[in-house]
Structure formats: C-alpha cells, structure tokens
Amino acid sequence: MKISKYPLAAAAALLSAAPACAQEAMGIDEKVNQAFAQVTGPFVSLIFAPFPGTDFPWIVMWLVIAASVFTLYFGFVQLRFFKHAIQLVKGDFADPNDAGEVSHFQALATALSGTVGLGNIAGVAVAVGIGGPGATFWMILAGLLGMASKFTECTLGVKYRNEYPDGTVSGGPMYYISKGFKELGLPGGKILAVLFSVFCILGALGGGNMFQANQAHAQISGIIGDYPGWITGIVFAVIVFLVIVGGIKSIANVTEKVVPFMGILYVGAALIILLVNYDKIGWAFGQIFDGAFTGLGVAGGMVGALIQGFKRAAFSNEAGVGSAAIAHSAVRTNEPITEGFVSLLEPLIDTVVICTMTALVITISGQLIMDPATGQFVLDGARIATVDGNTGVSLTSAAFGASISWFPYVLAVAVVLFAFSTMISWSYYGLKAWTYLFGEGKMSELVFKLIFCVFIVIGAAASLGPVIDFSDAAIFAMAVVNIFALYFLMRIVRQELQSYSSRLKQGVIKAFTG
Amino acid sequence: MTVKLVIGLDGAETGDRALEFAKTLAARIDDCELIVAYVIEWSPFTFQTPEENAMRHKRREEELATATARVAEPAVKSLQDAGFKASCIVRHGDVAETLNKITVENGASQIIVGRSSEGGFTKRIFGSSTQNLVMHADVPVTVVG
C-alpha cells in the first residue's frame, strides 16, 4: 500500500506543474508526432494498400473472406453452438474436480477485458465519423462473421500450448503455428511463428498501448482542459510499470473488478439514452440501413461505409488477429474446442453489443451534421462534419453528453479504466511474443516491459492520426500471418469439432448436475 | 452403520473448538468416522489478468498443498492421536456449497463448524459462510462458538 502512494503523489506534482511548462511541452509533443509519422508511414501504406484501381484496402477483404470461409467451413458454428457456449460459461459442464482452475468464464472475461477498450468507444466514433451510421451495419456483420475466426484460433491456442514443469502455461499463435505446421508436415511454420511474434510485439505497442493512451488523454484533456499528452503518458506509464514489473497486483486486481462494472454502466447508459429517444430509434436504424447501402453522402459511399465498418470491427474484437488465443490458452481443459465455443461470445459482446451501442448513441445524438435538404451528410474533408468538429473519443463523449450532461465525466473514468485494462492485457500478449523470440527470463522480460512503458508516453503525446494508423497496421499485420496459418490448420479444428459434437450427441460429454 | 461427521475448518481459532466438540460427540457414538474438510474460497466467476490465469494452475496446487499441510493434516493427526478414525478433504469452491456437497457425497449425517470468521461489515452485507451453510445444508449443522 505504501508504494502505491508515490505514483499518485508524482502525478499530482506533474499535473500542478503543467500550466507552467505548457508552451515548451507542446513543442515536444509536435516533435514526437512528426518523428513517429515519418517512421511508421511506409509500413502503414503497405498494410492499407488498395486493390489496384480501387479504394479498397486488401487487408479488409483478407479478414472478411477468412471470417466467411471459417463460418462456412464450420457450418455456421456461431449459430449451432451458441447455446452450448452459454452453458459452458455458466459452468454447466464444469468438472467438480477442476474447481480452482481457470474457468471458462474467467478466460472469457480476461479476453474481453483485453478487447473491450478504446476501440469500442473511440474507434467506433472514427468509423461512424468517416463512414456514417451505415458503417454500423457492416461492423455488426463483420462481428458475426468474426465469431468463426475467434473460434478457430482459440481452439488451436489451447490445443498447442506449452505446459511447463512449474505448472505455468504459454500459448498462442506462435505456438500453434510452429507446432501445428510441424504436425501436418508443412514447412515454414517456424518462420511464420517468428513473423507473427514480431507483428504481435508491434501490435501490443500500437493498438494495445499507444492508441489507448492517446484516447485516454484526449478524454481527460477534454474534461479538465488542454495540456500536453506526454504528462498523461508518464502517469500511465508509471502505474503500468508498477503493475507489470513491480507486480503491484492490487492495482490490476482493482481494475479487473471495476472494468466489468464500467462496461455494464456504459451499455446501461447507452440503453437509457436509446430508451429516452425511443421515437428516434426507428429513424436511427433507417439511417444505418440507408447508409449501409448508399453511404448517404459519406466519402467513398457504400464502400466507404463498408471499409470503415469492417476495419473497426476487426480492430475492436480482434477476430483473426490471434491475441485472444494467447488469453484463452490458460484454461486447463481436456477439450480445446470448448474454449473455441466460449470465444464465440467475444465478438458478439464486443462488437454486436458494445460497439453497436456506441454507434447508435452517436447516430441518435445528432452530432453528425446532415443537410436536411438532401438527406446527405455534410463533409469536412474526408470525414463527416460534426458539431464542434469532434472526432474519436470526444465525439462519443459529446454524443453521450447531449443526452446525459454529466456522462462525459463518467466516460473519462471509464476510458481511463478500459485503457488501463487493455494495456495490462496487451503487455502480456506482447510479452509472450517477445519471450517466444528472445527466450524467457527476467532480463528479457524487463527489456520488453520498459519498451512497452516508453511507448505509452509516445502514444499519449502523438496526435490521433498517426497513432491510429500505426495501431491498425500492426494489428492487421498480425492477422495477415495468423489467418494465413489458420487456412492450413483449420482442418485440425474441424476434426476436434466433429469428435466433440458426436460425443456430445451421444451423451458421452455430459452436463454436471447438482 | 458408521456414523460420519464432517468438520469444516478454515484455519481460524474457532476451528480448534469445533474439533474439540467433534471429539466429544464422536466419543459418544459407537462407530464413528470424522472427515475434516477445508474449503478454499474460490469462485469461477471472478475477473483475472492474463498473467493470473497463466499462473493459476501452479497457484492452485500451492494452495491445496498449503491448506493440507497447515490445517487439514494436523487436524486429522490430532483426531487420530485421540483414537478416532479420521481423514481429510481439501477443495476449492464456495464454502457453504462445497461443505454441503462433501457431506452429501460421503453420506455424512452432520456438519460441525466454528462460528464465522468474517468481519462484521462484510457479514452484514453478504452474509457469512456459516449463515449460508446453516440455511442451505442438507443435514443438521452444529455451530461451535
């Protein structure tokens, strides 16, 4: 308890000195920003390169086609085994002898606390801000299809994890790619695993870290007034450092308990706003459907809406990215496929529920400026003009604030907690990739954790554009390698599915009653 | 027919008094078997960090070993030294529910526990394990103060 008082004191001291150094500090922000944009530019351009002659980034098709293939290959597993997934999470099939081990619910909750973050709050605002409400339709569709991708990767994550003599586990795409390919007698597994690990480290530093810090700062400075981002960055970095290096479990424990409540509060507030505006719900859905197929004047029209929707869904629920496989691999179960079933629920909760709530509130709030004469959105460059020119998390904040005037304060707390819990989760995913490449060991781990904390400061200091571009690119790069491998490994998952499915039907696998 | 009694321990002082009472009771019964049960408070519905999950199996083994060595086995030994037939069970779970399950599984006819060890405030809001046990057990429960 004594140790944890210092960061708070340090934070208070820094914040009180802020106004005095504001001018000079803004200069630092700019420099960091420019350097960052220069370095990451080429990588971002490669990932988001469009199909020749079109505006369509190939990476979006890559993700959606994969999700569709998996959906068909596994016979719409998201529908067939949805009920079973719920039963597993409730514990109906839990062996009493396994009491005390990681439960399916805990694995799901852990993975969700990693994926539910600023993507659901700020990322959706970016999508709807560029692609309009129509992006929501494509986002939901991508979420539903993505359930099959998660199913595939999480099953493999459990099946091919490493169990060490001291009882700890390490799992994830780098393990299932190398082991799975070897099992199937395919070459190149090791190289792909290494490539994935590199991208995973970049993804952990980007979406799991910089983006979170950046948007958390945006929300805080929106409330208490403008001040340099690196200050927020340092405060966050110090606290994260204490948790991941110092092992101050109490902070992480608090966050992990509070985050689900914040999630419920957020969805609850969204539902209240929708109920209060019940007369506009029909209109909002109309906007979503119209926008989905016509664009309603957004940049790129229908395709623009589609691209934004798919992009945001992928970034938010991480289906096909492989990070959830790392989280789910800790469950001790004899049936890897059960973790696959449980992971079906993640894109559903993350995208179809939470992201949609954000999108509906933004649509209903009237923050997006529409020309009443034409019924099309007024554009401001590539994005839709908004009241006060808000983007990202400030757009979401304004949207909620339009109905519940004090909600931006609650949102600030929620944003900080979501950002923090996502950072903790992704520091772990990045760490697993790092130790896969550089070996386990205290020194090796410390180096990564220090790098991770430095990037928190960079992320808070940079402006939204370069940060979100790099974050997206890094995470999608993971999906490139992961999905490529999944195409080869999916037959293994099908065997598991068929075996489990028949045993379930025959009653060999039974629910535990009483 | 062997009469089986379950003694629920949690490492607190009241557990010693529960053991003493169990001995007195068992002495009056012809054919008696005592089962010492230690339930490690655990719920499948908590929220963990990924690192906690990865360490969980190891922690679980440690928790079981510690509980067995520190509480359950010494209790069994003290019962056996006094001339009674005794064994121990250590499990994770909700205390009241698991004690009851253990009782039913082993065909025991009574549960003996010490008075609850939770603090006053927590007890008022959430109830104590002892209260829950008394209200929901399938067999008579004796609470030793």
Side-chain angles (χ1 to χ4, degrees), chain A residues 247-339:
Chain A
I248 309 289
K249 295 284 182 279
S250 47
I251 302 177
N253 278 341
V254 167
T255 322
E256 297 299 322
K257 270 58 168 177
V258 176
V259 163
F261 290 113
M262 303 280 2
I264 292 170
L265 181 68
Y266 182 83
V267 172
L271 281 172
I272 290 174
I273 292 175
L274 294 176
L275 282 171
V276 165
N277 292 295
Y278 71 93
D279 50 335
K280 290 203 204 128
I281 292 185
W283 169 83
F285 275 106
Q287 290 272 290
I288 289 177
F289 278 108
D290 280 342
F293 298 103
T294 68
L296 290 176
V298 302
M302 167 181 158
V303 174
L306 189 148
I307 292 173
Q308 290 301 317
F310 281 168
K311 254 174 94 169
R312 281 307 110 207
F315 187 75
S316 175
N317 69 40
E318 298 167 24
V321 167
S323 50
I326 303 176
H328 280 269
S329 63
V331 172
R332 206 149 200 98
T333 173
N334 294 327
E335 304 281 356
I337 200 100
T338 54
E339 270 315 288

Side-chain angles (χ1 to χ4, degrees), chain A residues 181-251:
Chain A
F181 270 54
K182 193 156 147 211
E183 200 177 279
L184 293 175
L186 296 165
K190 209 62 198 348
I191 302 171
L192 284 172
V194 166
L195 204 55
F196 176 84
S197 302
V198 170
F199 291 137
C200 185
I201 292 169
L202 292 177
L205 296 174
N209 176 337
M210 295 181 69
F211 179 67
Q212 309 296 323
N214 187 283
Q215 289 299 284
H217 171 71
Q219 182 62 5
I220 297 171
S221 62
I223 300 284
I224 69 176
D226 224 1
Y227 68 95
W230 58 265
I231 296 177
T232 307
I234 291 191
V235 173
F236 257 108
V238 167
I239 302 177
V240 169
F241 185 84
L242 286 172
V243 173
I244 65 180
V245 177
I248 309 289
K249 295 284 182 279
S250 47
I251 302 177

Side-chain angles (χ1 to χ4, degrees), chain A residues 332-368:
Chain A
R332 206 149 200 98
T333 173
N334 294 327
E335 304 281 356
I337 200 100
T338 54
E339 270 315 288
F341 293 139
V342 167
S343 71
L344 286 172
L345 301 173
E346 276 161 46
L348 189 77
I349 296 171
D350 181 289
T351 305
V352 181
V353 174
I354 301 182
C355 283
T356 305
M357 290 285 123
T358 306
L360 279 172
V361 169
I362 293 175
T363 305
I364 271 187
S365 70
Q367 288 291 309
L368 301 169

